[in-house]
Amino acid sequence: SGLLVIAGTGSVAVGYKQQWSKIGGWGPILGDKGSGYDLAVGLYRELTNTIDTNQPLNEWQQAFLDWLNVSCAEDAIRMFYQSERKEIAKAAQFIGEHQEQFSYCRSVLIQAGKELSHLINRWGAQNWQLQQPLPCAFNGSVIEKNPLVQETIMKYSHYVLQTTKDYP
């Protein structure tokens, strides 16, 4: 019995307690909060907001354009619409790589951890006793490559998580 939380291109929590059940995993349009795709879309949305308000790019936005190797925000948006979902999700790497440099990136990772803890809490409410430690494994690049996401999950989980590297 226990839970596996996956956050890569998409996100889902899959658990077992007498039977298998899942929370999330509804895809990029209806769900996948805290996933790499969700994080990346947020970057591009911020760019569109800057374009729409006719504001100059801030430091992290300029760094993001440099990271993408494009010269302007409009080129980044064009690239977004010409890319597949997995390719778009790779932009989440920028957030992880720049979390120490830009508070925006750090706040995005914290929000991702909160979103993923919601999956745990929803699954737990249906399947687990609050006072019982919950065996939990993490998988996927968003969780595995970002200790801040893991720390935030632990902080906002209603359950004491016994993390493990082993999962079914």
Side-chain angles (χ1 to χ4, degrees), residues 4 6 10 13 21-22 29-31 36 56-57 59 73 76 78 92 98 106-107 115 126 128 149 152 160 162 164:
L4 170 61
I6 304 170
S21 59
K22 78 171 187 76
I29 296 173
L30 298 177
L57 296 175
E59 278 188 77
R78 269 190 288 283
H98 292 83
R106 189 168 175 78
S107 68
E115 295 288 355
Q126 296 173 21
W128 211 259
V149 173
T152 304
V160 174
Q162 292 179 328
T164 178

Side-chain angles (χ1 to χ4, degrees), residues 9-64:
T9 300
S11 65
V12 66
V14 180
Y16 184 83
K17 180 147 188 199
Q18 299 172 341
Q19 65 180 8
W20 289 100
S21 59
K22 78 171 187 76
I23 300 289
W26 299 113
I29 296 173
L30 298 177
D32 285 349
K33 293 292 185 184
S35 70
Y37 182 80
D38 183 53
L39 301 181
V41 168
L43 292 173
Y44 289 99
R45 281 190 178 130
E46 288 293 322
L47 284 178
T48 62
N49 186 50
T50 299
I51 294 168
D52 287 346
T53 57
N54 202 28
Q55 298 294 311
L57 296 175
N58 62 37
E59 278 188 77
W60 77 258
Q61 290 171 326
Q62 187 57 57
F64 181 52

Side-chain angles (χ1 to χ4, degrees), residues 3-134:
L3 186 64
L4 170 61
V5 180
I6 304 170
T9 300
S11 65
V12 66
V14 180
Y16 184 83
K17 180 147 188 199
Q18 299 172 341
Q19 65 180 8
W20 289 100
S21 59
K22 78 171 187 76
I23 300 289
W26 299 113
I29 296 173
L30 298 177
D32 285 349
K33 293 292 185 184
S35 70
Y37 182 80
D38 183 53
L39 301 181
V41 168
L43 292 173
Y44 289 99
R45 281 190 178 130
E46 288 293 322
L47 284 178
T48 62
N49 186 50
T50 299
I51 294 168
D52 287 346
T53 57
N54 202 28
Q55 298 294 311
L57 296 175
N58 62 37
E59 278 188 77
W60 77 258
Q61 290 171 326
Q62 187 57 57
F64 181 52
L65 295 185
D66 294 344
W67 188 86
L68 290 172
N69 199 28
V70 297
S71 59
C72 66
E74 290 84 352
D75 287 347
I77 302 304
R78 269 190 288 283
M79 189 168 68
F80 173 89
Y81 280 110
Q82 294 171 356
S83 298
E84 298 291 326
R85 187 169 62 100
K86 286 184 179 185
E87 192 63 32
I88 292 167
K90 288 180 182 178
Q93 293 173 357
F94 169 84
I95 296 169
E97 292 170 5
H98 292 83
Q99 64 182 297
E100 298 301 323
Q101 187 177 0
F102 302 116
S103 62
Y104 171 80
C105 294
R106 189 168 175 78
S107 68
V108 167
L109 292 174
I110 290 169
Q111 184 59 38
K114 288 178 180 179
E115 295 288 355
L116 296 169
S117 72
H118 292 319
L119 294 178
I120 294 168
N121 294 336
R122 287 184 191 136
W123 186 87
Q126 296 173 21
N127 298 285
W128 211 259
Q129 294 181 14
L130 197 55
Q131 61 276 20
Q132 186 180 9
L134 174 58

Side-chain angles (χ1 to χ4, degrees), residues 127-148:
N127 298 285
W128 211 259
Q129 294 181 14
L130 197 55
Q131 61 276 20
Q132 186 180 9
L134 174 58
C136 187
F138 298 141
N139 187 264
S141 58
V142 173
I143 296 178
E144 292 181 293
K145 294 183 179 181
N146 296 293
L148 181 57

